[in-house]
Amino acid sequence: MRPPKHSPFLNKFTPHQIAEAMTMIEQSALAQINWRELIDLSWSKSGLDKVRDWSFFVLPLSGSSTWQPPKSVDIVIARFNVVLKWAVSEIVLTEDLAERRHTICQYVHIAAAARDLRNFATMYQITMALLSADISGLKETWQFVPAEEKEMLKELEKLVTPTKNFVTLRREQEGVVVDKGCIPFFGKYNGMYLNIDPTPTTQSRSTSPSSSEQAEPLVNFERYQNAASIVKTVLRLVDASKTYNYAVTPALLSRCLWMCALGDEEIRARSRALTM
């Protein structure tokens, strides 16, 4: 028996309602950020892009004695990947052309609403999902997307383009007044921070040291100063996230929190099937 056709739950709510729910969830994730983890670089640097089920990532496995709770920064990064892949999955799972078109339009408006709320994390996640090859390649579907939504997406694309180290996004994001609230796109700072090698460089005391002469480590103060500046910026924006207090219904909050997504291979297969 053929299963019922997929119908995304987000189409039952307004874009602003979805954006508010996402904002409260991102706020909760940011509230766990530990500045010591930022300074010590004590988080996972691989594997987080493979997370597809939020409950499996944040909840202990039944009967497991080795499960460790994820680091606070890992939670923020993994959440980014789950939401992005969830958005892509919802679109390729929707077989009905009219509803798929509506779902894409809904996502455009959710991203725009998130930007209005200064929730740059959700804005970035949704926008990147819409710009991904698996979604942008759905030519037939995009033919039915109104020009207004396409123009809105172009404006959002300008923000997520990494030109000059995300200069456009950085200006808008870091120009936010703290008491107005902000959910930062953390990936920008995470990428910058990971590029700062905290290992002291080693240099000899002369150009031709004797065999008995030991090389001495030299601390690269500029790198540490850059790292400290990034950490201060992140913590200021994390502090700004605490101002949000939206009243989101438990049912919607639960749907937005416990997300799961298809694997990359299945996403590609379904995307190809929709273009045939």
Side-chain angles (χ1 to χ4, degrees), residues 126-168:
I126 302 300
T127 302
M128 289 304 296
L130 293 169
L131 296 175
S132 69
D134 295 305
I135 302 306
S136 63
L138 302 176
K139 303 300 183 183
E140 182 183 6
T141 307
W142 283 100
Q143 287 178 4
F144 296 95
V145 174
E148 180 183 356
E149 277 75 15
K150 290 179 180 177
E151 189 60 34
M152 290 173 65
L153 183 57
K154 285 183 181 179
E155 289 301 310
L156 292 167
E157 185 177 5
K158 293 177 183 178
L159 277 180
V160 304
T161 301
T163 304
K164 296 182 179 178
N165 192 25
F166 298 93
V167 62
T168 306

Side-chain angles (χ1 to χ4, degrees), residues 11-257:
N11 290 337
K12 298 178 176 64
F13 299 90
T14 69
H16 208 80
Q17 287 175 319
I18 299 289
E20 287 185 347
M22 294 293 203
T23 299
M24 297 308 296
I25 293 169
E26 293 288 348
Q27 178 197 61
S28 178
L30 287 171
Q32 301 179 59
I33 291 289
N34 185 322
W35 66 271
R36 292 186 181 277
E37 289 182 16
L38 294 175
I39 293 175
D40 297 337
L41 298 177
S42 57
W43 67 84
S44 302
K45 300 178 179 65
S46 63
L48 297 177
D49 60 329
K50 305 299 182 185
V51 177
R52 293 294 180 268
D53 190 312
W54 193 242
S55 63
F56 282 7
F57 181 70
V58 299
L59 298 178
L61 298 175
S62 178
S64 174
S65 59
T66 59
W67 185 85
Q68 294 289 330
K71 300 284 188 179
S72 60
V73 182
D74 289 350
I75 290 174
V76 174
I77 298 170
R79 181 71 190 174
F80 176 92
N81 293 310
V82 168
V83 174
L84 193 159
K85 292 298 182 180
W86 161 77
V88 173
S89 299
E90 289 291 287
I91 295 171
V92 299
L93 279 168
T94 305
E95 297 179 2
D96 183 78
L97 176 59
E99 186 162 18
R100 189 165 62 252
R101 176 203 65 82
H102 177 66
T103 301
I104 287 176
C105 292
Q106 185 82 329
Y107 274 129
V108 172
H109 285 278
I110 290 170
R115 181 186 184 184
D116 289 342
L117 298 178
R118 298 167 302 283
N119 176 354
F120 298 102
T122 298
M123 180 209 71
Y124 199 102
Q125 294 153 6
I126 302 300
T127 302
M128 289 304 296
L130 293 169
L131 296 175
S132 69
D134 295 305
I135 302 306
S136 63
L138 302 176
K139 303 300 183 183
E140 182 183 6
T141 307
W142 283 100
Q143 287 178 4
F144 296 95
V145 174
E148 180 183 356
E149 277 75 15
K150 290 179 180 177
E151 189 60 34
M152 290 173 65
L153 183 57
K154 285 183 181 179
E155 289 301 310
L156 292 167
E157 185 177 5
K158 293 177 183 178
L159 277 180
V160 304
T161 301
T163 304
K164 296 182 179 178
N165 192 25
F166 298 93
V167 62
T168 306
L169 175 59
R170 191 170 66 248
R171 284 172 180 168
E172 183 165 334
Q173 181 169 279
E174 295 177 7
V176 169
V177 178
V178 171
D179 60 6
K180 289 187 176 182
C182 178
I183 302 292
F185 164 49
F186 187 79
K188 178 174 75 67
Y189 301 105
N190 179 50
M192 291 166 63
Y193 199 57
L194 288 178
N195 288 330
I196 299 174
D197 182 2
T199 306
T201 57
T202 301
Q203 179 177 314
S204 62
R205 287 177 293 186
S206 66
T207 56
S208 302
S210 64
S211 58
S212 61
E213 198 170 22
Q214 298 294 320
E216 294 181 353
L218 299 178
V219 176
N220 191 322
F221 286 105
E222 183 178 359
R223 287 184 176 181
Y224 280 104
Q225 288 173 340
N226 288 340
S229 176
I230 293 169
V231 170
K232 286 173 64 177
T233 299
V234 169
L235 293 179
R236 182 182 73 83
L237 295 174
V238 168
D239 192 52
S241 72
K242 298 175 183 178
T243 64
Y244 294 105
N245 187 28
Y246 298 127
V248 181
T249 63
L252 176 57
L253 198 65
S254 178
R255 296 296 296 272
C256 290
L257 175 62

